[in-house]
Every structure is written in C-alpha cells, then in structure tokens.
C-alpha cells in the first residue's frame, strides 16, 4: 500500500487561505490503513481546520467527504454533486489521489493534506515499513524476498557495504541492514549460494528514471 | 602486465608495496596538494586520492590525481558510485587514462547523510562490484556497458576495498571473492586495528585461494590521540578499534599520545607483514600526511625500490 503522513496543520491552513469554502476529501484505502487520510482522519482534520480558522475570526465553509478510492474515476465521481458549491478541494489521498481529483475536477484548485512517503507494509499497529520502490523489474526472487533496491540505503546489488554493524545500517541504527536480512533469510532457507552470482548493473529504464510510466492493456480497454 | 601501472610492477615483482592516501583540499588551493605530495615523495609506490571522502565536498579526485601526476607521483584514482552515474563514471575513466592515470580504486562510498550535503540525491546507479567489472570490461574487452567499442580503451590496474571488520562477518570473504571474480587486481582494506580479526580474515582468504588471485594491501591508520581512537571506535562506520588499544594510547600523557599512535601504526605494519598473503600496506594518515615518512622509517620501510 501507499504510506503517507499528514502535513502540519499550519502548512495546510496556509494553502487554503482565502477560499470561502473547502471540500475536504478523504480516501478509505491505503491512507486509511496507515491512519493518515481515512474516514476518521478526514473528520479530525476538518474539525481542526474549523478551529484553527475560527481562532482568527474566519469561518470558511468546510465540508467533509470520504471516498473508497481517490485514484479511480468511478469513486471520484461519487462526490460530483458536492464539488460545485466549494471553492477549493483539500485531498487526504496520496499524491495519485490528489492528481486524479484535479484531473476530474479540472476547474477546481486541489491541495494535498498529506505527504506521500512510500510503498510499504504495516509491520505492526503504528509501524509502517517501506519495502518497494516500484523499479519495474522485480528481483526479489534472487534475494530471498528482501528487496536490496529498497532495503539497502545504497541500493547495493552484490552484497553488504562496509558499514553494516550488528544488523544495522551505517546511515542510522534505526534502519535494519537490508543485506543482513537478505543473508539471514537465504541462510535459513539453505540458499546462500545464490549470492555468489554477480548481478550486473540494474536497468533503471523501467523505473521512474525512464520517465513517468503508464500501463496500457488492450484486453482491459472498454 | 595488464597495464603500465607502477603499482602493478611493484606487486608483480613480489615486492612489499606501500601506498598512501592523500585527501584533496576543501577548495581549489593547489598549495595544500603540493605540500602533501612533498611529504609522500619517494616514500610510497602510489598515492590514493580520495573521492569526496565521507561525502564532504572536496577538489575532485580526478583533478587532484592529475596534479599529483604532474608532481611526479603515481596516482590511484578513487571513484565512488554515490555521486556519479555510469555515464559520468565511464567518461571520467576515459579522461583519467588520457591524463596518464593507470590505477583506479572502485568504491561505493560513504552514504551522503554523513557529509556536508545531506540533502543530496544519492546516485548509486552502479555498486562498487559493478564498477570493478565495468573497468575490467573496458580494459580487457575494449567495451563500455552496453557493448559499444572504445577508441583507445583505458588500461587500468583495478583496485577494490575490503572491510574484514564489518558485519555480517561470515559474508566478508565471500564478498572479497566476488570482487576478485568481477576483476579486482588489488585490494586495500579498511584500517586494521584489530589484528586478531584481520589475521582470521586473511586465513579464510588464503583457504579460499584468494591470495593467489589478488594482491591484498592492509590498511593502516595512525591514531593522533586517545580522542581519535575513541571517535574511530564509536562514530566511524565499519571500524573496529579494540578497547586495549584505546587504553594503551589513553595511558600515556597527552603530549606523547601522537608518538604512541605512530609507534602503534609502525608495530601494526610489522605485524601485518608477517601475515601470509599480505602484499603491502595502504597508509591512511588522515590529515596527517606529514607523519608518513616517520611511520615508514619506524616500520623499516624507509625507501622504495626502483622498478
């Protein structure tokens, strides 16, 4: 899923300054799972904004709505009736959600309430871990299903650097060394010999390095 | 001989090689380099020029190598993959060879979060082992990545680093083997303070037949004082400074700690010389290049052979 965090209220407030009415739109998918932009967070943010503007003697109309997926037109269109009566939209979706709203409601200013961080997993309640960079050529099969592109701070493909200590990364002891994880896992699986193979330079053309990516599937087109 | 490198000649002749590190200035001040070059003149077989070490912006390694070459030194161009992609790295290798540089040390580099440009984009297009293979393919196949032919390929004597003290310890010799397989001709190790662990690493390397395939130069760093010893032990990634060494240097009065540090370095050199498979030393006197002659004299390596 996409993991995001809410921006500071001050930054959000600055973006909305001057608009008499704002439609605050949550997204009940990924960003609900990471407790940043779901139903509950949308309600809380709308109330917090009302309060913050109220302290300055301002009272913009703030309406909240939450849709299942901000990145799919069918769901986006479910709020179509609310949009015309608001001067601006504040999205609690990920970056994709914000941009999809702006594409569909092309005459409305749309602002992000979240900082979109990464593709990751919920390790446990309150902890989310990045584990995929979407490089476009999944190599997890070589590495015991631990991604060196994401989990190694230097994206090393041929083994750990000299800065791995006690299973921790030289960048920050809070970061687990991805290569220690790869080695531990392959060792446990009895497949450590896989790592003696030389991995040639990565083809980054399938990653964002090749420009914004797009998938077109004839069999899925209407 | 694969190259016209003097370092290759020394090592191939079976002579105990001495290389030293030289950090370029934090600016364009030529006199800093000239001064450091003076301390090392006639004392070492080759001079490694660091590439924005610890991710702190300094004069480019390539420019400094060329300047040192002009001053009569044999430079080893250190290249990290942190800051430049494969286009820039290969281009710099062409340029380096055209400038008469015949040695390269392929590194990934310290992470940029350590340096003075923490907000930088880390490139890491290649890793150090991929860079080793790239330089080898340039030399032996005359081709760049992707297969295009090179007009007058750079013939580099190829170095790589090894850290016997980093985790996972069990993988360190396997990684060394991978670097050799990729094309490394020589290895310069992380600073050796823990002789016991280094000895064990060398034993494993010999058992795997690696010392037959590659020339290993043991890294030596003189400690300036007890503060530096403690700093290296706790703050520098991938470093193993044993407690007994910290105690030893802390045990002498402050005014004598530098001399004690030099003595420890000279002793370490003598000890690593006795380990089978050690082909030389790589002296990293960090911003202390002026002490290189004294350390080498104490270690019985006062002059270099003519080759």
């Amino acid at each position: 899923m996409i993991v995001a965090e809410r921006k500071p209220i001050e930054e959000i407030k600055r973006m909305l300054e001057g608009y008499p009415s704002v439609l605050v739109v949550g997204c009940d998918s990924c960003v609900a799972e990471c407790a940043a932009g779901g139903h509950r967070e949308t309600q809380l943010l709308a109330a917090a904004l009302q309060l913050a503007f109220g302290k300055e003697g301002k009272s913009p109309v703030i309406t909240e709505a939450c849709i299942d997926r901000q990145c799919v037109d069918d769901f986006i269109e479910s709020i179509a009736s609310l949009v015309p009566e608001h001067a601006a939209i504040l999205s609690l979706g990920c970056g994709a959600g914000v941009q999809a709203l702006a594409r569909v409601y092309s005459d409305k200013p749309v602002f992000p309430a979240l900082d979109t961080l990464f593709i990751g997993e919920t390790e446990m309640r309150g902890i989310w871990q990045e584990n995929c960079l979407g490089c476009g050529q999944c190599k997890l099969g070589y590495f015991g299903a631990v991604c060196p592109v994401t989990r190694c701070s230097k994206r090393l493909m041929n083994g750990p650097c000299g800065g791995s200590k006690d299973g921790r990364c030289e960048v920050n002891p809070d970061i687990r060394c991805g290569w220690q994880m790869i080695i531990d896992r392959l060792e446990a699986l009895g497949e450590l010999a896989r790592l003696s193979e030389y991995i040639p330079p990565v083809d980054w053309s399938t990653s964002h390095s090749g420009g914004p990516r797009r998938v077109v599937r004839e069999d899925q087109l209407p | 001989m694969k190259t016209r490198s003097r370092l290759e000649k020394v090592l191939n002749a079976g002579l105990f090689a001495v290389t030293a590190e030289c950090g370029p200035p934090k600016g364009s001040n030529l006199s800093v380099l000239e001064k450091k070059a003076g301390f090392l003149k006639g004392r070492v077989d080759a001079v490694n020029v660091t590439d924005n070490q610890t991710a702190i912006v300094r004069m480019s390694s390539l420019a400094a190598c060329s300047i040192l070459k002009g001053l009569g030194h044999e430079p080893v161009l250190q290249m990290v993959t942190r800051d430049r992609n494969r286009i820039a790295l290969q281009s710099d290798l062409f340029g380096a060879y055209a400038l008469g540089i015949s040695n390269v040390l392929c590194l990934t580099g310290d992470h940029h979060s350590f340096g003075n440009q923490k907000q930088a984009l880390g490139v890491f297009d290649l890793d150090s082992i991929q860079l080793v293979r790239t330089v080898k393919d340039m030399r032996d196949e005359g081709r760049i990545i992707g297969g295009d032919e090179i007009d007058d390929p750079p013939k580099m004597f190829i170095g790589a680093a090894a850290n016997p003290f980093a985790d996972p310890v069990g993988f360190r010799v396997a990684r060394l083997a991978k670097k050799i397989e990729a094309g490394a001709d020589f290895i310069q190790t992380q600073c050796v303070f823990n002789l016991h662990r280094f000895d064990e690493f060398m034993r494993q390397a010999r058992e795997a037949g690696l010392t037959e395939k590659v020339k290993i130069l043991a890294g030596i760093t003189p400690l300036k004082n007890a503060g530096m010893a403690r700093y290296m032990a706790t703050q520098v990634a991938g470093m193993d400074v044993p407690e007994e060494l910290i105690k030893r240097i802390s045990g002498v009065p402050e005014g004598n700690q530098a001399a004690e540090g030099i003595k420890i370095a000279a002793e370490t050199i003598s000890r690593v010389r006795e380990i089978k498979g050690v082909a030389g030393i790589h002296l990293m006197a960090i911003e202390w290049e002026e002490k290189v002659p004294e350390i080498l004299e104490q270690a019985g390596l006062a002059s270099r052979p003519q080759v």
Side-chain angles (χ1 to χ4, degrees), chain A:
Chain A
M1 65 164 167
I2 309 289
V3 177
E5 276 182 326
R6 209 197 72 195
K7 286 176 177 290
I9 190 97
E10 279 308 312
E11 186 186 344
I12 298 171
K13 210 169 125 264
R14 268 199 304 279
M15 290 187 285
L16 301 176
E17 211 69 62
Y19 292 105
S21 54
V22 179
L23 180 61
V24 182
V25 186
C27 178
D28 239 345
S29 296
C30 312
V31 293
E33 169 61 26
C34 62
H39 208 88
R40 191 169 159 270
E41 293 77 27
T42 307
Q43 283 180 337
L44 288 171
L45 178 59
L49 282 170
Q50 201 74 263
L51 203 69
F53 279 117
K55 271 188 190 162
E56 295 172 3
K58 296 170 188 162
S59 52
V61 175
I62 294 180
T63 313
E64 33 173 292
C66 196
I67 55 186
D68 282 350
R69 268 173 246 161
Q70 267 190 36
C71 53
V72 179
D73 282 13
D74 288 350
F75 295 102
I76 294 173
E77 281 157 11
S78 69
I79 54 164
S81 62
L82 291 169
V83 173
E85 57 202 64
H86 292 87
I89 299 174
L90 176 66
S91 163
L92 283 90
C94 68
V98 177
Q99 293 179 71
L101 286 182
R103 178 176 50 75
V104 172
Y105 302 117
S106 55
D107 59 342
K108 288 287 169 199
V110 181
F111 298 99
L114 307 184
D115 288 319
T116 303
L117 300 173
F118 52 78
I119 304 176
E121 60 169 310
T122 306
E123 245 180 34
M124 58 180 282
R125 194 183 158 91
I127 298 181
W128 293 274
Q129 171 65 48
E130 177 172 32
N131 57 14
C132 178
L133 277 174
C135 70
Q137 284 184 52
C138 191
K139 295 169 194 69
L140 284 168
Y142 290 100
F143 302 111
V146 179
C147 176
V149 177
T150 316
R151 302 303 296 264
C152 170
S153 301
K154 298 178 182 173
R155 294 198 288 275
L156 300 184
M157 302 303 290
N158 283 289
C161 79
S164 177
K165 188 151 190 145
D166 302 326
R168 299 283 145 180
C169 173
E170 69 173 23
V171 171
N172 181 334
D174 292 338
I175 301 172
R176 289 178 72 186
C177 170
W179 270 98
Q180 179 81 57
M181 291 163 67
I182 292 169
I183 289 165
D184 287 349
R185 177 140 165 91
L186 286 176
E187 203 163 24
L189 296 172
E191 293 187 15
L192 202 54
R194 276 183 185 279
L195 296 183
S196 49
E197 188 188 336
Y198 166 74
I199 308 292
V202 175
D203 173 3
W204 298 110
S205 68
T206 58
S207 76
H208 181 70
S209 182
R213 292 162 283 177
R214 188 175 175 87
V215 175
V216 179
R217 275 183 53 184
E218 298 292 339
D219 63 322
Q220 296 291 312
L221 291 172

Side-chain angles (χ1 to χ4, degrees), chain B residues 60 62-63 77 79-80 84-101 104 125-126 131 134-135 138 143-145 148 150-154 156:
Chain B
S60 87
L62 179 51
L77 174 70
M79 285 191 129
V80 301
R84 303 202 291 300
N85 71 7
R86 64 190 80 180
I87 301 172
L89 289 167
Q90 294 181 105
S91 158
D92 280 352
L93 283 158
F94 290 173
Y97 191 63
L99 288 167
I101 296 159
V104 61
D125 178 20
L126 305 182
L131 181 58
T134 301
V135 184
M138 282 182 154
R143 292 178 192 279
I144 58 168
I145 295 171
D148 282 4
I150 303 168
D151 178 7
D152 195 0
M156 292 288 184

Side-chain angles (χ1 to χ4, degrees), chain B residues 51-64:
Chain B
D51 181 2
N52 297 293
Q53 192 177 15
T54 61
I56 290 190
V57 182
R58 290 174 180 271
M59 182 190 287
S60 87
S61 176
L62 179 51

Side-chain angles (χ1 to χ4, degrees), chain B residues 41-90:
Chain B
K41 199 66 195 279
R43 302 288 184 165
V44 296
D45 298 304
V47 178
N48 278 55
V49 183
T50 51
D51 181 2
N52 297 293
Q53 192 177 15
T54 61
I56 290 190
V57 182
R58 290 174 180 271
M59 182 190 287
S60 87
S61 176
L62 179 51
C65 276
S66 182
I67 292 163
L68 287 175
K69 172 100 188 156
L71 295 169
H73 276 291
E74 159 100 354
V76 178
L77 174 70
Q78 294 200 181
M79 285 191 129
V80 301
T81 62
R82 174 194 62 220
D83 309 321
R84 303 202 291 300
N85 71 7
R86 64 190 80 180
I87 301 172
L89 289 167
Q90 294 181 105

